[in-house]
Amino acid sequence: MDDLPQELIALIACFLERRDEYPKEEFPPPKPAASKLPPYATISRKWQLAIECRTFNAIHLKSTELSHPAQTLTGHRRAFISALTFEVVLPEYDDHRCARFETQEEMEANNQAFTNAMQALFVLLKSWEPESTHEQSRSIALAISAIYSPMDKWHRPARKAEEDDWNWGIGKRADLWEHRYEHSLIRLLEHANLPSLAIISSLDILSDSRRLEPRSVALLATKLPQAHTVKFDLFDNQSKHPNNNQSARYGMFTPLVPLLAIPSAGQEY
């Protein structure tokens, strides 16, 4: 079979089942099963390339795991990546803090954790860019899918989340759940230290319980000169603090002024 053209082997690989399917009615849904594709990569060099083209086409990373990609995503594997989903993990807080609103100190720690995560990600992605203009350029769609602490409502271990919810329901536990941080905004600090990335074609910041400050979104966009779209949900309906709404809108627009003045930028927000 190794005598077949690479293109034909790649086509065959597209029809291989990646994972076992679970009944749709099963709840809660189980964790994704291990991929069934890796064994095929051991058949030959051509099969390795065909399988890795599928395996590394879309990758998911957490800020706590950025040391691993530097070791595994080397050489030709980087060229297969067209989409990257990124999760930012914030510091964990004690159980008794679940019944208390976030303090200024906790907010600052979260901001620093987010900044460190973006700095590490941008440095990693910068190392993937071609070293010369003669190398083939590629583009990656970047999505920040979640910003959370492991103690946040939807991210606690399943068993603990179930116990906490039960104890809260019968009055044996005090917990603010997502209200603990509903008025907190995650901010990007020291954005000037982020490298500019020509490899990113789009940025999508998905809606999550932890909200990113609008200005921080704009600052990230200024570091992505080749991104044609930047999508995010803007929350500026703070009825208790109406002045913050106008401040947030102005803060978001200010960093974008230089980009909007360049007709060739071609970015959409």
Side-chain angles (χ1 to χ4, degrees), residues 160-268:
K160 176 173 175 52
E162 185 177 354
E163 292 177 354
D164 290 349
D165 186 57
W166 173 263
N167 289 328
W168 175 78
I170 62 177
K172 289 187 176 181
R173 176 182 175 82
D175 203 316
L176 291 174
W177 303 108
E178 70 272 21
H179 299 297
R180 181 178 188 271
Y181 44 83
E182 65 181 351
H183 295 299
S184 302
L185 292 177
I186 303 297
R187 293 179 171 84
L188 177 68
L189 311 174
E190 304 167 355
H191 71 281
N193 294 333
L194 294 179
S196 179
L197 297 177
I199 198 174
I200 300 301
S201 60
S202 65
L203 173 64
D204 191 1
I205 300 177
L206 306 177
S207 178
D208 191 64
S209 56
R210 293 275 184 167
R211 298 189 299 273
L212 189 58
E213 176 198 37
R215 175 179 170 81
S216 296
V217 177
L219 291 174
L220 287 174
T222 64
K223 295 295 182 176
L224 308 175
Q226 299 302 318
H228 51 78
T229 57
V230 177
K231 298 179 181 179
F232 66 100
D233 290 330
L234 173 61
F235 179 84
D236 63 350
N237 188 26
Q238 301 185 51
S239 57
K240 294 183 179 180
H241 307 281
N243 291 335
N244 291 348
N245 298 331
Q246 184 175 358
S247 177
R249 296 170 189 171
Y250 181 80
M252 178 190 69
F253 182 75
T254 303
L256 298 177
V257 171
L259 295 179
L260 297 176
I262 304 175
S264 59
Q267 291 179 311
E268 298 179 5

Side-chain angles (χ1 to χ4, degrees), residues 39-61:
Y40 294 99
T42 63
I43 296 176
S44 68
R45 175 62 175 172
K46 287 185 176 181
W47 270 96
Q48 179 187 356
L49 291 175
I51 296 301
E52 289 185 347
C53 183
R54 287 190 60 187
T55 303
F56 295 102
N57 177 257
I59 62 175
H60 188 113
L61 299 178

Side-chain angles (χ1 to χ4, degrees), residues 85-112:
T85 303
F86 188 58
E87 291 185 13
V88 178
V89 182
L90 303 176
E92 191 168 352
Y93 46 90
D94 295 334
D95 198 61
H96 74 276
R97 292 297 308 163
C98 294
R100 301 288 186 272
F101 288 105
E102 279 192 338
T103 63
Q104 186 62 36
E105 183 179 358
E106 287 175 317
M107 294 180 191
E108 292 174 357
N110 289 336
N111 293 339
Q112 191 61 60

Side-chain angles (χ1 to χ4, degrees), residues 93-149:
Y93 46 90
D94 295 334
D95 198 61
H96 74 276
R97 292 297 308 163
C98 294
R100 301 288 186 272
F101 288 105
E102 279 192 338
T103 63
Q104 186 62 36
E105 183 179 358
E106 287 175 317
M107 294 180 191
E108 292 174 357
N110 289 336
N111 293 339
Q112 191 61 60
F114 176 78
T115 300
N116 293 343
M118 298 311 299
Q119 175 71 24
L121 176 65
F122 273 50
V123 169
L124 175 66
L125 293 175
K126 188 67 177 181
S127 69
W128 295 358
E129 293 188 348
E131 297 181 357
S132 68
T133 56
H134 299 291
E135 296 183 49
Q136 185 177 3
S137 61
R138 59 185 182 278
S139 60
I140 297 175
L142 173 62
I144 300 178
S145 61
I147 305 171
Y148 65 92
S149 166

